[in-house]
Coordinates of all heavy atoms in Angstrom, one line a residue:
M1 N -30.3 6.5 11.7 CA -29.3 7.6 11.7 C -28.7 7.6 10.4 O -28.9 6.9 9.4 CB -28.4 7.2 12.8 CG -28.9 7.3 14.2 SD -27.7 7.1 15.4 CE -26.7 8.6 15.2
A2 N -27.7 8.6 10.3 CA -27.0 8.8 9.1 C -25.5 9.1 9.4 O -25.2 9.3 10.6 CB -27.6 10.0 8.3
Y3 N -24.7 9.2 8.4 CA -23.3 9.5 8.7 C -23.1 10.8 9.5 O -23.8 11.7 9.2 CB -22.6 9.7 7.3 CG -21.2 10.2 7.5 CD1 -20.2 9.4 7.9 CD2 -20.9 11.5 7.2 CE1 -18.8 9.9 8.1 CE2 -19.7 12.0 7.3 CZ -18.7 11.2 7.8 OH -17.4 11.8 7.9
D4 N -22.2 10.7 10.4 CA -22.0 11.9 11.3 C -20.4 12.1 11.4 O -19.8 11.3 12.0 CB -22.5 11.7 12.7 CG -22.3 12.9 13.6 OD1 -21.5 13.8 13.2 OD2 -22.9 12.9 14.7
G5 N -20.0 13.2 10.7 CA -18.5 13.4 10.6 C -17.8 13.6 11.8 O -16.7 13.4 11.9
S6 N -18.5 14.1 12.9 CA -17.9 14.3 14.2 C -17.5 13.0 14.8 O -16.8 13.0 15.8 CB -18.8 15.1 15.1 OG -20.0 14.4 15.4
N7 N -18.0 11.9 14.3 CA -17.7 10.5 14.9 C -16.6 9.8 14.0 O -16.3 8.6 14.3 CB -18.9 9.7 15.0 CG -19.9 10.2 16.1 OD1 -19.4 10.8 17.1 ND2 -21.1 10.1 15.8
L8 N -15.9 10.5 13.2 CA -14.9 9.9 12.3 C -13.6 10.5 12.7 O -13.4 11.7 12.9 CB -15.2 10.2 10.8 CG -14.1 9.7 9.9 CD1 -14.2 8.2 9.8 CD2 -14.3 10.3 8.5
A9 N -12.6 9.6 12.9 CA -11.2 10.1 13.2 C -10.2 9.4 12.3 O -10.3 8.2 12.2 CB -11.0 9.8 14.7
L10 N -9.3 10.2 11.8 CA -8.2 9.6 11.0 C -7.2 9.2 12.0 O -6.6 10.0 12.7 CB -7.6 10.5 10.0 CG -6.4 10.1 9.2 CD1 -6.7 8.9 8.4 CD2 -5.8 11.2 8.4
I11 N -6.9 7.8 12.1 CA -6.0 7.4 13.2 C -4.5 7.5 12.6 O -3.6 7.9 13.3 CB -6.3 5.9 13.5 CG1 -7.7 5.8 14.0 CG2 -5.2 5.3 14.5 CD1 -8.0 6.5 15.3
S12 N -4.4 7.1 11.3 CA -3.1 7.2 10.7 C -3.2 7.2 9.2 O -4.1 6.7 8.6 CB -2.3 5.9 11.1 OG -1.0 5.9 10.5
S13 N -2.2 7.8 8.6 CA -2.1 7.8 7.1 C -0.7 7.5 6.7 O 0.2 8.2 7.1 CB -2.5 9.2 6.6 OG -2.5 9.2 5.1
V14 N -0.5 6.4 6.0 CA 0.8 6.0 5.6 C 0.8 5.5 4.1 O -0.1 4.7 3.8 CB 1.4 4.8 6.5 CG1 2.7 4.3 6.1 CG2 1.4 5.3 8.0
N15 N 1.8 5.9 3.4 CA 1.9 5.6 1.9 C 0.6 5.7 1.2 O 0.4 4.9 0.3 CB 2.4 4.1 1.8 CG 3.9 4.0 2.4 OD1 4.6 4.9 2.4 ND2 4.2 2.8 2.9
G16 N -0.1 6.7 1.5 CA -1.3 7.0 0.8 C -2.5 6.3 1.2 O -3.7 6.4 0.6
Y17 N -2.4 5.5 2.2 CA -3.6 4.7 2.8 C -4.0 5.4 4.1 O -3.1 5.7 4.9 CB -3.3 3.3 3.0 CG -3.1 2.5 1.7 CD1 -1.7 2.2 1.3 CD2 -4.1 2.2 0.9 CE1 -1.5 1.6 0.0 CE2 -3.9 1.6 -0.3 CZ -2.7 1.3 -0.7 OH -2.5 0.6 -1.9
G18 N -5.3 5.4 4.3 CA -5.7 5.9 5.7 C -6.4 4.9 6.5 O -6.9 3.8 6.0
F19 N -6.2 5.0 7.8 CA -6.8 4.0 8.8 C -7.6 4.9 9.7 O -7.2 5.9 10.4 CB -5.7 3.4 9.6 CG -6.3 2.4 10.7 CD1 -7.1 1.4 10.3 CD2 -6.0 2.6 12.0 CE1 -7.7 0.5 11.3 CE2 -6.5 1.8 13.0 CZ -7.3 0.8 12.6
Y20 N -9.0 4.6 9.6 CA -10.0 5.5 10.3 C -10.7 4.7 11.4 O -10.9 3.5 11.4 CB -11.0 6.0 9.4 CG -10.5 6.9 8.2 CD1 -9.9 6.3 7.2 CD2 -10.6 8.3 8.4 CE1 -9.6 7.2 6.1 CE2 -10.1 9.1 7.3 CZ -9.6 8.5 6.2 OH -9.1 9.4 5.2
R21 N -11.2 5.5 12.5 CA -12.2 4.9 13.3 C -13.4 5.7 13.2 O -13.5 7.0 13.2 CB -11.7 5.1 14.8 CG -12.7 4.6 15.8 CD -12.3 4.7 17.2 NE -13.4 4.5 18.1 CZ -13.4 3.9 19.2 NH1 -12.3 3.5 19.7 NH2 -14.5 3.8 20.0
Y22 N -14.6 5.0 13.2 CA -15.8 5.6 13.0 C -16.8 5.0 14.1 O -16.9 3.8 14.2 CB -16.4 5.4 11.6 CG -17.7 6.1 11.4 CD1 -17.9 7.5 11.5 CD2 -18.9 5.3 11.3 CE1 -19.2 8.1 11.4 CE2 -20.1 6.0 11.1 CZ -20.3 7.3 11.1 OH -21.5 7.9 11.1
D23 N -17.4 5.9 14.9 CA -18.4 5.4 16.0 C -19.7 5.8 15.5 O -20.0 6.9 15.0 CB -18.1 6.1 17.3 CG -16.8 5.7 17.9 OD1 -15.7 6.3 17.5 OD2 -16.8 4.7 18.6
T24 N -20.7 4.9 15.7 CA -22.0 5.1 15.2 C -23.0 4.2 15.9 O -22.6 3.2 16.6 CB -22.2 4.7 13.6 OG1 -23.5 5.0 13.2 CG2 -21.8 3.3 13.3
M25 N -24.3 4.5 15.8 CA -25.3 3.6 16.3 C -26.0 2.9 15.2 O -27.0 2.1 15.3 CB -26.3 4.4 17.2 CG -25.7 4.9 18.5 SD -26.9 5.9 19.5 CE -28.1 4.6 19.9
D26 N -25.5 3.1 14.0 CA -26.1 2.4 12.7 C -25.5 1.1 12.7 O -24.3 0.8 13.0 CB -25.7 3.2 11.5 CG -26.4 4.6 11.5 OD1 -27.4 4.7 12.0 OD2 -25.8 5.4 10.6
A27 N -26.3 0.2 12.1 CA -25.9 -1.2 11.9 C -24.7 -1.3 10.8 O -24.7 -0.4 10.0 CB -27.0 -2.1 11.4
H28 N -23.9 -2.2 10.8 CA -22.8 -2.4 9.9 C -23.5 -2.5 8.4 O -22.8 -2.0 7.5 CB -22.0 -3.6 10.1 CG -21.1 -3.5 11.3 ND1 -19.9 -2.8 11.2 CD2 -21.1 -4.0 12.6 CE1 -19.3 -2.8 12.4 NE2 -20.0 -3.5 13.2
T29 N -24.6 -3.1 8.3 CA -25.2 -3.2 7.0 C -25.5 -1.7 6.4 O -25.5 -1.5 5.2 CB -26.5 -4.0 7.0 OG1 -27.4 -3.5 8.0 CG2 -26.1 -5.5 7.2
A30 N -25.8 -0.8 7.3 CA -26.1 0.6 6.8 C -24.8 1.2 6.5 O -24.7 1.9 5.4 CB -26.8 1.4 7.9
V31 N -23.7 1.0 7.2 CA -22.4 1.6 7.0 C -21.8 1.1 5.8 O -21.1 1.8 5.0 CB -21.5 1.3 8.2 CG1 -20.0 1.9 7.9 CG2 -22.0 2.0 9.5
D32 N -22.0 -0.2 5.4 CA -21.3 -0.7 4.2 C -22.1 -0.5 2.9 O -21.8 -0.9 1.8 CB -20.9 -2.2 4.3 CG -22.1 -3.2 4.3 OD1 -23.1 -2.9 3.8 OD2 -21.9 -4.3 4.9
A33 N -23.3 0.2 3.0 CA -24.0 0.6 1.8 C -23.4 1.6 1.1 O -22.8 2.6 1.6 CB -25.5 1.0 2.3
A34 N -23.3 1.5 -0.3 CA -22.8 2.6 -1.1 C -23.6 3.7 -0.8 O -24.9 3.8 -0.6 CB -22.9 2.2 -2.5
T35 N -23.0 5.0 -0.7 CA -23.6 6.3 -0.4 C -23.6 6.7 1.1 O -23.9 7.8 1.5 CB -25.0 6.5 -1.0 OG1 -26.0 5.7 -0.2 CG2 -25.1 6.3 -2.4
Y36 N -23.3 5.7 2.0 CA -23.2 6.1 3.4 C -22.2 7.1 3.6 O -22.4 8.1 4.3 CB -23.0 4.9 4.3 CG -23.1 5.1 5.8 CD1 -24.4 5.1 6.4 CD2 -22.0 5.5 6.5 CE1 -24.4 5.3 7.8 CE2 -22.1 5.7 7.9 CZ -23.3 5.7 8.5 OH -23.4 5.9 9.8
F37 N -20.9 6.8 3.1 CA -19.9 7.9 3.0 C -19.9 8.4 1.7 O -20.1 7.8 0.6 CB -18.6 7.2 3.3 CG -18.4 6.5 4.6 CD1 -18.5 5.1 4.8 CD2 -18.3 7.2 5.8 CE1 -18.4 4.5 6.0 CE2 -18.1 6.6 7.1 CZ -18.2 5.3 7.1
N38 N -19.6 9.8 1.6 CA -19.6 10.4 0.3 C -18.6 11.5 0.4 O -18.7 12.5 1.1 CB -21.0 11.0 0.0 CG -21.1 11.6 -1.3 OD1 -20.1 12.1 -1.9 ND2 -22.3 11.5 -1.9
N39 N -17.4 11.4 -0.4 CA -16.4 12.4 -0.4 C -16.9 13.8 -0.8 O -16.3 14.8 -0.5 CB -15.3 12.0 -1.3 CG -14.4 10.8 -0.6 OD1 -14.6 10.4 0.5 ND2 -13.5 10.2 -1.4
A40 N -17.9 13.8 -1.7 CA -18.4 15.1 -2.3 C -19.1 16.0 -1.3 O -19.0 17.1 -1.3 CB -19.3 14.8 -3.5
D41 N -19.8 15.3 -0.3 CA -20.6 16.2 0.6 C -20.5 15.9 2.1 O -21.1 16.4 2.9 CB -22.2 16.1 0.2 CG -22.7 14.7 0.5 OD1 -22.1 13.8 1.0 OD2 -23.9 14.5 0.1
D42 N -19.6 14.9 2.4 CA -19.3 14.7 3.9 C -17.9 15.2 4.4 O -17.5 14.8 5.4 CB -19.3 13.1 4.1 CG -20.7 12.6 3.9 OD1 -21.7 13.4 3.9 OD2 -20.8 11.4 3.6
D43 N -17.2 16.0 3.5 CA -15.9 16.5 4.0 C -14.9 15.3 4.3 O -14.1 15.4 5.2 CB -16.0 17.5 5.2 CG -16.7 18.7 4.7 OD1 -16.6 19.2 3.7 OD2 -17.4 19.2 5.7
T44 N -15.1 14.2 3.6 CA -14.2 13.1 3.8 C -13.3 13.0 2.5 O -13.6 13.7 1.5 CB -14.9 11.8 4.0 OG1 -15.8 11.5 2.9 CG2 -15.8 11.8 5.3
N45 N -12.3 12.2 2.6 CA -11.4 12.0 1.4 C -11.0 10.5 1.4 O -9.7 10.2 1.4 CB -10.2 12.9 1.5 CG -9.5 13.0 0.2 OD1 -10.1 12.8 -0.8 ND2 -8.2 13.3 0.2
F46 N -11.9 9.6 1.5 CA -11.6 8.2 1.4 C -11.0 7.8 0.0 O -11.4 8.4 -1.0 CB -12.8 7.3 1.7 CG -13.3 7.5 3.1 CD1 -14.5 8.0 3.4 CD2 -12.5 7.0 4.2 CE1 -15.0 8.1 4.7 CE2 -13.0 7.1 5.5 CZ -14.1 7.6 5.8
E47 N -10.1 6.9 0.1 CA -9.5 6.4 -1.1 C -9.7 4.8 -1.2 O -9.8 4.2 0.0 CB -8.0 6.7 -1.1 CG -7.6 8.2 -1.2 CD -7.9 8.9 -2.6 OE1 -8.0 8.2 -3.6 OE2 -8.1 10.1 -2.6
I48 N -9.6 4.2 -2.3 CA -9.7 2.8 -2.4 C -8.5 2.2 -1.6 O -7.4 2.6 -1.6 CB -9.6 2.3 -3.9 CG1 -10.8 2.8 -4.6 CG2 -9.5 0.7 -3.9 CD1 -10.8 2.6 -6.1
G49 N -8.8 1.2 -0.8 CA -7.9 0.6 0.1 C -7.8 1.1 1.5 O -7.2 0.5 2.4
D50 N -8.4 2.2 1.8 CA -8.5 2.7 3.1 C -9.3 1.7 4.0 O -10.2 1.1 3.6 CB -9.1 4.1 3.2 CG -8.3 5.2 2.7 OD1 -7.1 5.0 2.4 OD2 -8.9 6.3 2.5
I51 N -8.9 1.8 5.3 CA -9.5 0.8 6.3 C -10.3 1.7 7.2 O -9.8 2.7 7.7 CB -8.6 0.0 7.0 CG1 -7.8 -1.0 6.1 CG2 -9.2 -0.8 8.2 CD1 -6.5 -1.7 6.6
I52 N -11.6 1.3 7.5 CA -12.4 2.0 8.5 C -12.9 1.1 9.6 O -13.5 0.1 9.3 CB -13.7 2.6 7.8 CG1 -13.4 3.4 6.6 CG2 -14.5 3.4 8.8 CD1 -14.6 3.8 5.7
Y53 N -12.3 1.3 10.7 CA -12.6 0.5 11.9 C -13.9 1.1 12.5 O -13.9 2.2 12.9 CB -11.4 0.6 12.9 CG -11.5 -0.3 14.1 CD1 -11.3 -1.7 13.9 CD2 -11.8 0.2 15.3 CE1 -11.3 -2.6 15.1 CE2 -11.9 -0.6 16.4 CZ -11.7 -2.0 16.3 OH -11.8 -2.8 17.4
V54 N -15.0 0.3 12.5 CA -16.3 0.9 12.9 C -16.7 0.3 14.3 O -16.7 -1.0 14.5 CB -17.4 0.5 11.9 CG1 -18.7 1.0 12.4 CG2 -16.9 1.2 10.5
V55 N -17.0 1.1 15.2 CA -17.5 0.7 16.5 C -19.1 1.0 16.5 O -19.4 2.2 16.3 CB -16.8 1.4 17.7 CG1 -17.4 1.0 19.1 CG2 -15.3 1.1 17.7
V56 N -19.9 0.0 16.7 CA -21.3 0.2 16.7 C -21.8 0.2 18.2 O -21.5 -0.7 18.9 CB -22.1 -0.9 15.9 CG1 -23.6 -0.7 16.0 CG2 -21.7 -0.9 14.5
W57 N -22.4 1.2 18.6 CA -22.9 1.4 19.9 C -24.4 1.1 19.9 O -25.1 1.4 19.1 CB -22.7 2.9 20.3 CG -21.3 3.2 20.5 CD1 -20.5 3.6 19.4 CD2 -20.5 3.4 21.6 NE1 -19.2 3.9 19.9 CE2 -19.3 3.8 21.3 CE3 -20.8 3.2 23.0 CZ2 -18.2 4.0 22.2 CZ3 -19.7 3.3 23.9 CH2 -18.4 3.7 23.5
A58 N -24.8 0.3 21.1 CA -26.1 -0.1 21.2 C -26.9 1.1 21.9 O -28.1 1.2 21.7 CB -26.2 -1.3 22.2
T59 N -26.2 1.9 22.7 CA -26.8 3.1 23.2 C -25.9 4.2 23.0 O -25.3 4.2 21.9 CB -26.9 2.8 24.8 OG1 -25.6 2.4 25.3 CG2 -27.9 1.7 25.1
A60 N -25.9 5.3 23.7 CA -25.2 6.5 23.4 C -23.8 6.4 23.1 O -23.0 5.6 23.8 CB -25.4 7.5 24.6
I61 N -23.4 7.0 22.0 CA -22.0 6.9 21.5 C -21.0 7.5 22.6 O -21.3 8.6 23.1 CB -21.8 7.7 20.2 CG1 -22.6 6.9 19.1 CG2 -20.4 7.8 19.8 CD1 -22.7 7.6 17.8
R62 N -20.0 6.8 22.8 CA -18.9 7.1 23.8 C -19.3 7.0 25.3 O -18.4 7.1 26.1 CB -18.3 8.5 23.5 CG -17.6 8.5 22.1 CD -16.8 9.8 22.0 NE -16.2 9.7 20.7 CZ -16.7 10.3 19.6 NH1 -17.8 10.9 19.7 NH2 -16.1 10.3 18.5
T63 N -20.6 6.9 25.6 CA -20.9 6.8 27.0 C -21.8 5.6 27.3 O -22.2 5.4 28.4 CB -21.7 8.1 27.5 OG1 -22.8 8.3 26.7 CG2 -20.8 9.3 27.4
G64 N -22.2 4.9 26.2 CA -23.2 3.8 26.4 C -22.5 2.4 26.3 O -21.4 2.3 26.8
T65 N -23.2 1.5 25.7 CA -22.8 0.1 25.6 C -22.3 -0.2 24.1 O -23.1 0.2 23.1 CB -23.8 -0.8 26.0 OG1 -24.3 -0.4 27.3 CG2 -23.5 -2.2 26.0
I66 N -21.2 -0.8 24.0 CA -20.8 -1.1 22.6 C -21.5 -2.5 22.2 O -21.5 -3.4 23.0 CB -19.2 -1.3 22.5 CG1 -18.5 0.0 22.9 CG2 -18.7 -1.9 21.2 CD1 -17.1 0.0 23.0
S67 N -22.0 -2.4 21.0 CA -22.7 -3.6 20.4 C -21.8 -4.6 19.7 O -21.5 -5.7 20.1 CB -23.8 -3.1 19.5 OG -24.4 -4.2 18.8
T68 N -21.2 -4.0 18.6 CA -20.2 -4.8 17.9 C -19.1 -3.8 17.3 O -19.2 -2.7 17.5 CB -20.9 -5.5 16.6 OG1 -21.3 -4.5 15.8 CG2 -22.0 -6.4 17.1
Y69 N -18.1 -4.4 16.8 CA -17.1 -3.6 16.1 C -16.5 -4.5 14.9 O -16.6 -5.7 15.0 CB -15.9 -3.2 17.1 CG -15.1 -4.4 17.7 CD1 -13.9 -4.7 17.1 CD2 -15.6 -5.2 18.7 CE1 -13.2 -5.9 17.6 CE2 -15.0 -6.2 19.2 CZ -13.7 -6.5 18.7 OH -12.9 -7.6 19.2
G70 N -16.0 -3.8 14.0 CA -15.4 -4.5 12.8 C -14.8 -3.6 11.8 O -14.6 -2.4 12.0
T71 N -14.3 -4.2 10.8 CA -13.5 -3.5 9.8 C -14.2 -3.5 8.5 O -14.6 -4.5 8.0 CB -12.1 -4.2 9.7 OG1 -11.5 -4.3 11.0 CG2 -11.1 -3.5 8.8
H72 N -14.2 -2.4 7.9 CA -14.6 -2.2 6.4 C -13.5 -1.7 5.6 O -12.7 -0.9 6.1 CB -15.7 -1.1 6.4 CG -17.0 -1.5 7.1 ND1 -18.1 -2.2 6.5 CD2 -17.3 -1.3 8.5 CE1 -19.0 -2.3 7.4 NE2 -18.6 -1.9 8.6
I73 N -13.4 -2.1 4.3 CA -12.3 -1.6 3.5 C -13.1 -0.8 2.3 O -14.0 -1.3 1.8 CB -11.4 -2.7 3.0 CG1 -10.7 -3.4 4.1 CG2 -10.4 -2.2 1.9 CD1 -9.9 -4.6 3.8
V74 N -12.5 0.3 2.0 CA -13.1 1.1 0.8 C -12.8 0.3 -0.4 O -11.6 0.1 -0.8 CB -12.5 2.5 0.8 CG1 -13.0 3.2 -0.4 CG2 -12.8 3.2 2.1
N75 N -13.8 -0.1 -1.1 CA -13.7 -0.9 -2.4 C -13.6 0.0 -3.6 O -13.0 -0.3 -4.6 CB -15.0 -1.8 -2.7 CG -15.2 -2.8 -1.7 OD1 -14.3 -3.2 -1.0 ND2 -16.4 -3.3 -1.6
A76 N -14.4 1.1 -3.6 CA -14.5 2.0 -4.7 C -15.0 3.4 -4.3 O -15.7 3.6 -3.3 CB -15.6 1.4 -5.7
V77 N -14.5 4.3 -5.1 CA -15.0 5.7 -5.0 C -15.3 6.2 -6.4 O -14.5 6.1 -7.2 CB -13.9 6.6 -4.4 CG1 -14.4 8.1 -4.3 CG2 -13.4 6.1 -3.0
S78 N -16.6 6.6 -6.6 CA -17.0 7.0 -7.9 C -16.5 8.4 -8.2 O -16.1 9.2 -7.3 CB -18.6 7.0 -8.0 OG -19.1 8.1 -7.3
A79 N -16.7 8.8 -9.4 CA -16.2 10.1 -9.9 C -17.0 11.2 -9.2 O -16.5 12.3 -8.9 CB -16.4 10.3 -11.4
A80 N -18.3 10.9 -8.7 CA -19.1 11.8 -8.0 C -18.7 11.8 -6.5 O -19.3 12.6 -5.7 CB -20.6 11.5 -8.2
G81 N -17.8 11.0 -6.0 CA -17.4 11.0 -4.6 C -18.1 9.9 -3.8 O -17.8 9.8 -2.6
V82 N -19.0 9.1 -4.3 CA -19.7 8.1 -3.6 C -18.7 7.0 -3.2 O -18.0 6.4 -4.0 CB -20.9 7.5 -4.4 CG1 -21.5 6.4 -3.6 CG2 -21.9 8.7 -4.6
V83 N -18.7 6.7 -1.9 CA -17.8 5.7 -1.4 C -18.5 4.4 -1.2 O -19.6 4.3 -0.6 CB -17.2 6.2 0.0 CG1 -16.3 5.1 0.6 CG2 -16.4 7.5 -0.3
D84 N -17.9 3.3 -1.6 CA -18.5 1.9 -1.3 C -17.5 1.2 -0.6 O -16.3 1.1 -0.9 CB -18.7 1.2 -2.6 CG -19.4 -0.1 -2.4 OD1 -20.1 -0.3 -1.5 OD2 -19.2 -1.1 -3.3
T85 N -18.0 0.6 0.6 CA -17.1 -0.2 1.4 C -17.5 -1.7 1.5 O -18.6 -2.0 1.0 CB -17.2 0.3 2.9 OG1 -18.5 0.2 3.4 CG2 -16.7 1.8 3.0
S86 N -16.6 -2.5 1.8 CA -16.8 -4.0 1.9 C -17.8 -4.2 3.0 O -18.1 -3.4 3.9 CB -15.5 -4.7 2.2 OG -15.1 -4.3 3.5
N87 N -18.4 -5.5 2.9 CA -19.2 -6.0 4.0 C -18.1 -6.1 5.2 O -16.9 -6.1 5.1 CB -19.7 -7.3 3.7 CG -20.8 -7.4 2.7 OD1 -21.2 -6.3 2.4 ND2 -21.1 -8.5 2.2
V88 N -18.7 -6.0 6.4 CA -17.9 -6.0 7.6 C -17.2 -7.3 8.0 O -17.9 -8.4 7.8 CB -18.7 -5.4 8.8 CG1 -19.8 -6.4 9.2 CG2 -17.8 -5.2 10.0
T89 N -16.1 -7.3 8.5 CA -15.5 -8.4 9.2 C -15.8 -8.1 10.7 O -15.2 -7.2 11.3 CB -14.0 -8.5 9.0 OG1 -13.7 -8.6 7.6 CG2 -13.4 -9.7 9.8
V90 N -16.8 -8.7 11.3 CA -17.5 -8.3 12.5 C -16.8 -9.1 13.6 O -16.5 -10.2 13.5 CB -19.0 -8.4 12.5 CG1 -19.4 -9.8 12.5 CG2 -19.6 -7.5 13.6
N91 N -16.8 -8.3 14.7 CA -16.4 -9.0 16.1 C -17.5 -8.6 17.1 O -18.1 -7.6 17.0 CB -15.1 -8.5 16.5 CG -14.0 -8.8 15.5 OD1 -13.6 -9.9 15.4 ND2 -13.5 -7.9 14.7
V92 N -17.7 -9.5 18.1 CA -18.6 -9.3 19.2 C -17.8 -8.9 20.5 O -16.8 -9.5 20.8 CB -19.4 -10.5 19.3 CG1 -20.4 -10.4 20.5 CG2 -20.2 -10.9 18.1
V93 N -18.4 -8.0 21.1 CA -17.8 -7.5 22.4 C -18.2 -8.5 23.5 O -19.3 -8.8 23.7 CB -18.3 -6.2 22.7 CG1 -17.7 -5.7 24.1 CG2 -17.9 -5.2 21.7
T94 N -17.1 -9.1 24.2 CA -17.4 -9.9 25.3 C -16.6 -9.3 26.5 O -15.5 -8.8 26.3 CB -17.0 -11.4 25.1 OG1 -15.7 -11.4 24.7 CG2 -17.9 -11.9 24.0
D95 N -17.0 -9.5 27.7 CA -16.3 -9.1 28.9 C -16.6 -10.1 30.0 O -17.7 -10.2 30.6 CB -16.7 -7.7 29.3 CG -15.9 -7.1 30.5 OD1 -15.0 -7.8 30.9 OD2 -16.3 -6.0 30.9
S96 N -15.7 -10.9 30.4 CA -15.9 -12.1 31.2 C -15.6 -11.7 32.7 O -15.8 -12.5 33.5 CB -15.1 -13.2 30.8 OG -13.7 -12.9 30.9
D97 N -15.2 -10.5 33.0 CA -14.9 -10.2 34.4 C -16.0 -9.4 35.1 O -16.8 -8.9 34.5 CB -13.6 -9.6 34.6 CG -13.5 -8.2 33.8 OD1 -14.3 -8.0 32.9 OD2 -12.6 -7.4 34.2

């Protein structure tokens, strides 16, 4: 899959920093690759230091099963708008009931 802007939501913006939620079926390794997000052609406006909370779905987004979730931080934004994010701090979904 590829980046899908309809699955990105700006949760909050304070003091110039953004906190986003992004839902995808792509692995975190795909999301943290430079060029996955691109301010120039994805209608995004990520800045260095923004936090992207990523929910990875194993099946259909919003109606399926959540695989993992984690946090990426924007490390760099090139002059061309290419966004580079950190490796993920990943969490595993558990439900004991």
Side-chain angles (χ1 to χ4, degrees):
M1 289 185 68
Y3 169 77
D4 181 349
S6 67
N7 292 325
L8 178 72
L10 175 62
I11 304 298
S12 180
S13 179
V14 178
N15 294 333
Y17 294 102
F19 178 60
Y20 296 84
R21 175 180 168 145
Y22 181 64
D23 292 86
T24 185
M25 290 179 64
D26 293 337
H28 286 286
T29 53
V31 174
D32 72 24
T35 73
Y36 188 86
F37 297 106
N38 188 327
N39 286 352
D41 65 6
D42 292 340
D43 296 326
T44 58
N45 194 27
F46 291 113
E47 300 284 340
I48 295 171
D50 285 353
I51 297 171
I52 307 170
Y53 186 77
V54 176
V55 178
V56 175
W57 294 79
T59 54
I61 294 173
R62 294 191 183 93
T63 60
T65 305
I66 297 171
S67 171
T68 61
Y69 63 99
T71 305
H72 297 264
I73 297 176
V74 175
N75 295 342
V77 179
S78 76
V82 174
V83 176
D84 184 29
T85 60
S86 67
N87 291 350
V88 67
T89 302
V90 71
N91 298 288
V92 178
V93 176
T94 58
D95 185 6
S96 60
D97 60 339

